[in-house]
């Protein structure tokens, strides 16, 4: 065996003294001790037999007589490079450095200071009366003050006035130009119109006169866009005897029977136009309630010379206006009669209490439709009557 092949002992290294075998070898530490270490230690065996820790520094030779139960000692694994056993000294494993308590203390101090500042800024008190008497007043976001000019109220009043004026103008225009509502006050047009019917009259049908304007102001004479009514129309007009004597408040509604140039006469309850009797067809005979009690009445279908047909009502012969002289209708006038022939004041009565012939200037419009209807006795001041007296079967009824 050459010199190179001979094994070298650990004491050949400089700085290390040879140690004899320990007559009292340290007992082996149980395997569990090494497993309980929080930081396992890596051992590296150099060629010369030195053991270094994980940091790479050479571990000093351990005292052979140091008890094996000391904390951090781990028995080294014996290396047997040759047949002769070379004892290996135990390696001291460095314990993990204890965590300094300064860092948690500092963190707790910072958290306490932050909580103190939050508590000082936003105090929170319980319901046990621990709120101090000198609690700071709440701070609100300042609101912008509304600047009001000295003429603000005046401008608001002007706007309201303008709105009212515009609404009135629209209502007046509609009433003058388009439609006007009327309520039937009597039974003179039964069985076609009943007391309590609410009708709509078209203003453009016959053109416009001063009577188409409320209160009939004398703004002009005659008619604008005048159009003659047809025989058989139901027309609304101003009572002729009121003209020049008052504010023209009385509005009448009758049927147009005679046109300008016609000759109209009643003979024994039968209407004659231009010497020809008007054909009547009896429809029904029944009793009709009147002011002084029920009376027998006959309803007939009457056909005018132009073909217009409608229903009339007659209480039988012997009426005051069942027989009349001949009435010649002058130009610019119309002969009006009610459909309830024995209960109507119309053009057959030429007295101061009658209607007489109606000038075309007095025409207001043509009745078009029954909008609503209530029985006599309904009142705006009695809301119950709005429902108990209503006649829905007559709603939206076209007029002949």
């Amino acid at each position: 065996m050459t010199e190179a092949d001979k094994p070298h002992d650990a004491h050949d290294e400089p700085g290390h003294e040879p140690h004899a075998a320990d007559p009292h070898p340290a007992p082996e530490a149980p395997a569990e001790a090494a497993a309980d270490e929080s930081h396992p230690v890596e051992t590296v065996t150099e060629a010369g037999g030195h053991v270094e820790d994980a940091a790479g520094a050479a571990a000093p030779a351990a005292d052979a007589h140091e008890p094996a139960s000391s904390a951090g000692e781990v028995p080294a694994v014996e290396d047997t490079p040759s047949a002769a056993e070379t004892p290996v000294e135990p390696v001291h494993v460095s314990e993990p450095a204890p965590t300094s308590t300064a860092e948690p203390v500092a963190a707790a101090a910072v958290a306490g200071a932050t909580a103190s500042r939050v508590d000082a800024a936003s105090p929170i008190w319980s319901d046990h009366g621990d709120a101090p008497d000198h609690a700071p007043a709440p701070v609100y976001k300042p609101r912008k003050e509304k600047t009001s000019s000295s003429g603000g109220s005046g401008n608001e009043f002007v706007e309201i006035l303008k709105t009212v004026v515009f609404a009135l103008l629209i209502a007046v225009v509609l009433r003058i130009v388009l439609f006007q509502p009327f309520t039937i006050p009597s039974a003179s047009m039964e069985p076609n119109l009943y007391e309590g019917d609410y009708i709509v009259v078209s203003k453009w049908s016959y053109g416009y006169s001063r009577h188409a304007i409320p209160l009939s102001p004398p703004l002009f004479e005659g008619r604008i866009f005048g159009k003659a009514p047809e025989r058989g129309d139901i027309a609304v007009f101003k009572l002729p005897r009121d003209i020049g004597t008052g504010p023209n408040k009385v509005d009448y509604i009758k049927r147009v029977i005679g046109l300008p140039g016609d000759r109209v006469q009643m003979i024994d309850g039968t209407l004659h136009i231009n010497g020809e009797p008007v054909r009547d067809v009896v429809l029904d005979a029944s009793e009709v309630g009147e002011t002084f009690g029920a009376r027998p009445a006959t309803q007939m279908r009457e056909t005018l010379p132009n073909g217009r047909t409608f229903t009339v009502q007659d209480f039988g012969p012997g009426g005051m206006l069942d027989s009349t002289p001949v009435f010649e209708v002058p130009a610019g006038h119309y002969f009006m009669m009610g459909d309830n022939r024995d209960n109507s004041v119309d053009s057959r009565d030429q007295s101061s209490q009658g209607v007489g012939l109606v000038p075309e200037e007095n025409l207001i419009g043509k009745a078009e439709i029954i909008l609503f209807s209530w029985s006599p006795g309904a009142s705006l001041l009695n809301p119950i009557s709005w429902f108990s007296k209503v006649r829905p079967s007559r709603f939206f009824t076209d007029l002949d």
Side-chain angles (χ1 to χ4, degrees):
M1 180 181 297
T2 62
E3 289 292 330
D5 296 329
K6 293 181 180 180
H8 296 278
D9 293 334
H11 59 268
D12 290 341
E13 291 292 330
H16 290 273
E17 295 181 359
H19 290 275
D22 192 349
H24 304 284
E28 293 184 2
E32 290 81 356
D36 292 336
E37 294 294 332
S38 60
H39 301 282
V41 178
E42 298 179 1
T43 59
V44 180
T45 305
E46 300 266 341
H50 297 283
V51 180
E52 295 183 355
D53 57 12
D63 190 0
H65 301 284
E66 189 172 352
S69 62
S70 299
E73 294 183 1
V74 178
V77 180
E78 294 181 355
D79 188 10
T80 56
S82 62
E85 290 185 359
T86 305
V88 179
E89 300 174 357
V91 179
H92 293 277
V93 180
S94 60
E95 295 182 358
T99 305
S100 176
T101 59
E103 293 181 1
V105 171
V110 172
T114 304
S116 299
R117 288 195 297 270
V118 171
D119 291 343
S122 302
I124 300 176
W125 303 302
S126 66
D127 296 335
H128 300 291
D130 55 353
D133 296 336
H134 56 280
V139 179
Y140 299 100
K141 183 179 179 181
R143 293 184 299 179
K144 294 181 179 180
E145 296 291 337
K146 294 184 179 180
T147 58
S148 58
S149 59
S150 58
S153 59
N155 293 336
E156 183 178 356
F157 175 76
V158 171
E159 292 299 325
I160 295 175
L161 184 61
K162 288 167 59 177
T163 302
V164 172
V165 170
F166 287 150
L168 290 176
L169 286 176
I170 293 173
V172 169
V173 170
L174 292 176
R175 187 179 184 275
I176 293 174
V177 178
L178 299 178
F179 300 100
Q180 184 173 348
F182 289 92
T183 302
I184 303 303
S186 67
S188 66
M189 287 296 292
E190 289 183 3
N192 297 302
L193 289 175
Y194 285 87
E195 181 180 356
D197 286 347
Y198 190 83
I199 67 171
V200 176
V201 173
S202 61
K203 303 296 286 291
W204 68 85
S205 298
Y206 306 142
Y208 307 97
S209 69
R210 64 189 182 95
H211 298 294
I213 305 173
L215 302 180
S216 303
L219 300 178
F220 56 92
E221 297 292 334
R223 303 191 71 83
I224 300 175
F225 307 113
K227 182 180 179 182
E230 295 182 2
R231 196 191 311 269
D233 287 352
I234 298 177
V236 176
F237 56 91
K238 290 291 184 182
L239 189 62
R241 65 173 181 259
D242 284 348
I243 303 302
T245 60
N248 300 319
K249 291 183 178 180
V250 181
D251 298 313
Y252 267 49
I253 182 168
K254 303 293 179 182
R255 191 179 295 273
V256 178
I257 298 298
L259 302 178
D262 286 345
R263 293 177 292 109
V264 181
Q265 183 181 15
M266 290 291 296
I267 301 175
D268 296 330
T270 301
L271 175 64
H272 290 69
I273 299 176
N274 297 325
E276 298 292 332
V278 173
R279 181 166 55 90
D280 293 331
V281 177
V282 176
L283 299 177
D284 185 25
S286 61
E287 290 189 350
V288 177
E290 291 290 325
T291 305
F292 302 101
R295 296 174 60 186
T298 302
Q299 292 186 357
M300 299 173 293
R301 193 70 177 173
E302 193 169 83
T303 303
L304 297 178
N306 62 346
R308 294 281 295 272
T309 63
F310 50 91
T311 303
V312 297
Q313 183 172 282
D314 189 271
F315 289 111
M320 294 178 59
L321 299 175
D322 280 349
S323 297
T324 66
V326 176
F327 300 101
E328 294 185 2
V329 183
H333 291 74
Y334 296 91
F335 192 92
M336 305 290 189
M337 294 180 63
D339 292 341
N340 195 355
R341 294 292 166 81
D342 290 332
N343 190 17
S344 174
V345 177
D346 48 40
S347 294
R348 293 173 294 173
D349 187 357
Q350 299 286 320
S351 68
S352 60
Q353 301 299 320
V355 173
L357 300 175
V358 178
E360 64 178 2
E361 186 183 24
N362 289 34
L363 297 175
I364 295 176
K366 176 184 177 183
E368 300 284 354
I369 189 174
I370 300 173
L371 196 60
F372 306 112
S373 181
W374 283 269
S375 300
S379 173
L380 291 175
L381 302 179
N382 184 9
I384 298 177
S385 65
W386 303 351
F387 305 96
S388 61
K389 299 291 186 179
V390 68
R391 291 183 293 205
S393 60
R394 298 188 59 78
F395 284 16
F396 307 107
T397 301
D398 289 331
L399 297 175
D400 295 332

